[in-house]
Amino acid sequence: MDAIISTIQNFLSDVFVHPQIVIVLIAILPIVEARLAIPMAFAYGLPWYESLLLGFAGSIIMAPLLLLILIPFIKWLSKTKLFKKIGEALYSKFENKSKQIDEKASNVKKFWGLVLFVAIPLPLTGAWTGCAVASILKMKYHHALGGVVLGNFIASCIMTLLCALLPENIINYVITAIGIIALIVVVVLLIKILTYKKKPEQNEEQTEVEQ
């Protein structure tokens, strides 16, 4: 396992030269985000504060744009013949996630609900999903951005603390576990997209999406 992780690290370093670039690029990726980027930074031997900074910065850099375009883009996909099923399945997934936060709650409760949602360092609770959830809940832009940033910072701190407390030889197991979980999530999402069928009760909601 150590040899495999080392090979991957060496390959990425050869391509992008600096490990810092590798960490930021991993953190930008949906699903894995800082959850994988920070353990990778520790595996590269970077100090904890640099690992935290790079993982957090990389995973949050897309948030201002995602809040503006992610859900509109998914709605656009839902209107196309070729990608209709993908758009509908993704919107349904994010809509289900948004139900973890009470849409009738006050702005303050929605804010802290979003913070808590993003702060849990699990797949599909990061900045990408947080931005989608905030958009579906129609949160004010500055509230949504603040909630995603704060929640993501907490998640990054949790991952940094976890990696700092673990023995060095265990970090590669953490990386492998996160990678496997991310792969499973991707496969499950693909299966859901391929087999997705809109439920009758979703007709009205989908009509609203397509408007």
Side-chain angles (χ1 to χ4, degrees):
M1 183 182 298
D2 290 346
I4 295 175
I5 299 297
S6 296
T7 300
I8 294 173
Q9 287 178 319
N10 292 334
F11 171 76
L12 292 174
S13 295
D14 290 340
V15 173
F16 299 105
V17 182
H18 300 290
Q20 289 83 355
I21 297 176
V22 175
I23 301 308
V24 171
L25 291 177
I26 291 174
I28 291 174
L29 295 175
I31 301 178
V32 292
E33 302 184 27
R35 292 141 178 77
L36 179 59
I38 290 174
M40 282 291 285
F42 273 82
Y44 272 116
L46 299 180
W48 70 266
Y49 52 86
E50 189 173 4
S51 300
L52 172 60
L53 177 62
L54 293 173
F56 169 69
S59 59
I60 208 65
I61 194 171
M62 292 291 292
L65 183 60
L66 290 174
L67 284 169
L68 295 174
I69 70 168
L70 182 56
I71 291 301
F73 176 69
I74 291 174
K75 289 181 178 180
W76 174 80
L77 288 179
S78 300
K79 296 178 182 179
T80 65
K81 291 183 178 179
L82 186 59
F83 303 109
K84 181 179 178 65
K85 183 177 287 189
I86 294 176
E88 290 178 347
L90 288 176
Y91 188 88
S92 176
K93 183 68 176 178
F94 288 134
E95 188 177 41
N96 288 335
K97 289 287 184 179
S98 71
K99 291 177 181 178
Q100 296 182 31
I101 302 174
D102 185 4
E103 64 178 350
K104 297 181 180 179
S106 65
N107 290 333
V108 173
K109 288 185 177 180
K110 282 184 181 178
F111 172 82
W112 288 111
L114 181 63
V115 170
L116 181 60
F117 177 85
V118 179
I120 300 173
L122 295 172
L124 293 180
T125 62
W128 282 71
T129 306
C131 288
V133 166
S135 297
I136 290 174
L137 292 174
K138 295 180 172 57
M139 292 179 62
K140 293 182 179 179
Y141 183 84
H142 62 285
H143 288 166
L145 183 59
V148 171
V149 169
L150 179 55
N152 198 57
F153 180 70
I154 294 171
S156 298
C157 288
I158 292 173
M159 289 305 303
T160 302
L161 179 61
L162 177 64
C163 291
L165 294 176
L166 289 174
E168 291 183 11
N169 62 328
I170 302 298
I171 298 297
N172 285 343
Y173 289 96
V174 174
I175 294 172
T176 302
I178 294 173
I180 292 173
I181 292 172
L183 181 60
I184 292 172
V185 169
V186 170
V187 171
V188 171
L189 282 175
L190 288 175
I191 293 173
K192 286 186 176 181
I193 288 172
L194 293 174
T195 60
Y196 177 78
K197 290 184 179 180
K198 186 169 60 177
K199 297 179 181 179
E201 59 267 24
Q202 291 179 314
N203 287 337
E204 294 183 4
E205 296 176 2
Q206 187 59 37
T207 300
E208 186 176 319
V209 169
E210 294 177 351
Q211 290 177 347

